[in-house]
Amino acid sequence: DTAVSQTPKYLVTQMGNDKSIKCEQNLGHDTMYWYKQDSKKFLKIMFSYNNKELIINETVPNRFSPKSPDKAHLNLHINSLELGDSAVYFCASSRATTNEKLFFGSGTQLSVL
Amino acid sequence: SQKIEQNSEALNIQEGKTATLTCNYTNYSPAYLQWYRQDPGRGPVFLLLIRENEKEKRKERLKVTFDTTLKQSLFHITASQPADSATYLCALPRMDSSYKLIFGSGTRLLVRP
């Protein structure tokens, strides 16, 4: 069983569209994250939720809206997609908010044309 | 500002040799440091965490050191194998918030058979 699974794996879309990425973890972890990996391979935190509550909202355009229906799921909705949003988005989870030992999903490659 | 530096050039070694990767950081004394492995098209996988009061940590063929005076961590893979070829990322808690991790851009390791 995949511990952290996210869908879709690839997302190709036009500028201005709205898209969502879904993430689920079956590890029983309390904390989930969205990270963005840019073309230079730096991983940067976007959001973090602990037990469905938002605890980190990094400086991210408000076109990005995370939603956590329960502690096992964290989805990312992106409105009005821009060229600069093209990147790989990773979902991750950890047992607590301490950021120790993160489990990552396999990533969603978003390409905005 | 806080920085993490990893050698951006790939490390190319012969199978059986020891690979040594470096992670340098500035302007901060983190409570711990983590190492992750990332394969192409996959999410990072946690390998080891070392705390500030630990000089060295081992896991099978992996060894991590943490020199808080030099502000450096070394990651060693002994008896390297082609299957060890991947990008290795170091990460530590951010200076402005321990709830956030800062990742290095990673060093790519290539192990030749």
Side-chain angles (χ1 to χ4, degrees):
Chain A
D1 284 341
T2 304
V4 180
S5 58
Q6 58 181 106
T7 54
K9 175 71 175 172
Y10 300 98
L11 193 49
V12 181
T13 188
Q14 299 288 330
M15 264 196 326
N17 283 350
D18 303 338
K19 290 292 179 185
S20 292
I21 307 172
K22 295 186 175 183
C23 179
E24 175 182 3
Q25 55 96 1
N26 63 5
L27 297 167
H29 287 167
D30 287 339
T31 307
M32 294 186 73
Y33 312 82
W34 278 110
Y35 276 83
K36 179 180 180 180
Q37 190 168 41
D38 60 25
S39 57
K40 294 186 178 180
K41 304 300 181 185
F42 282 103
L43 268 167
K44 294 181 182 176
I45 182 73
M46 299 174 68
F47 301 102
S48 174
Y49 272 73
N50 185 57
N51 269 324
K52 301 193 298 177
E53 288 193 25
L54 180 67
I55 57 171
I56 293 174
N57 184 348
E58 195 66 337
T59 310
V60 176
N62 57 16
R63 297 182 294 104
F64 290 78
S65 53
K67 280 191 173 51
S68 182
D70 55 63
K71 76 173 192 176
H73 295 84
L74 180 61
N75 304 322
L76 183 65
H77 188 76
I78 316 170
N79 288 329
S80 303
L81 279 155
E82 300 177 357
L83 293 176
D85 297 332
S86 296
V88 182
Y89 294 84
F90 288 99
C91 177
S93 72
S94 64
R95 190 176 300 177
T97 58
T98 55
N99 274 299
E100 296 181 11
K101 195 175 180 181
L102 267 60
F103 287 77
F104 284 86
S106 57
T108 296
Q109 171 96 52
L110 172 64
S111 299
V112 182
L113 307 177
Chain B
S1 63
Q2 186 180 11
K3 287 183 182 178
I4 293 187
E5 292 177 351
Q6 294 186 258
N7 195 341
S8 58
E9 289 185 19
L11 179 63
N12 199 323
I13 65 169
Q14 185 73 40
E15 181 177 9
K17 300 292 185 184
T18 296
T20 298
L21 307 176
T22 304
C23 177
N24 294 304
Y25 58 93
T26 60
N27 297 333
Y28 187 45
S29 295
Y32 61 83
L33 188 145
Q34 305 184 55
W35 284 90
Y36 289 79
R37 168 184 172 143
Q38 187 172 21
D39 291 282
R42 308 295 296 272
V45 175
F46 172 81
L47 296 175
L48 282 167
L49 182 150
I50 186 164
R51 299 193 187 279
E52 60 182 338
N53 61 348
E54 299 174 314
K55 295 291 184 188
E56 180 180 297
K57 203 153 192 181
R58 292 174 185 260
K59 178 183 174 183
E60 298 171 354
R61 294 184 296 110
L62 308 180
K63 184 178 87 171
V64 171
T65 62
F66 195 8
D67 190 324
T68 54
T69 302
L70 289 179
K71 296 190 184 298
Q72 181 181 81
S73 175
L74 298 179
F75 177 82
H76 307 272
I77 306 176
T78 57
S80 59
Q81 304 165 1
D84 295 327
S85 298
T87 296
Y88 292 86
L89 309 170
C90 67
L92 46 85
R94 269 172 42 173
M95 195 162 54
D96 60 332
S97 170
S98 62
Y99 290 107
K100 303 176 186 177
L101 281 182
I102 181 169
F103 280 83
S105 59
T107 298
R108 189 171 171 214
L109 172 66
L110 298 170
V111 182
R112 301 190 308 275

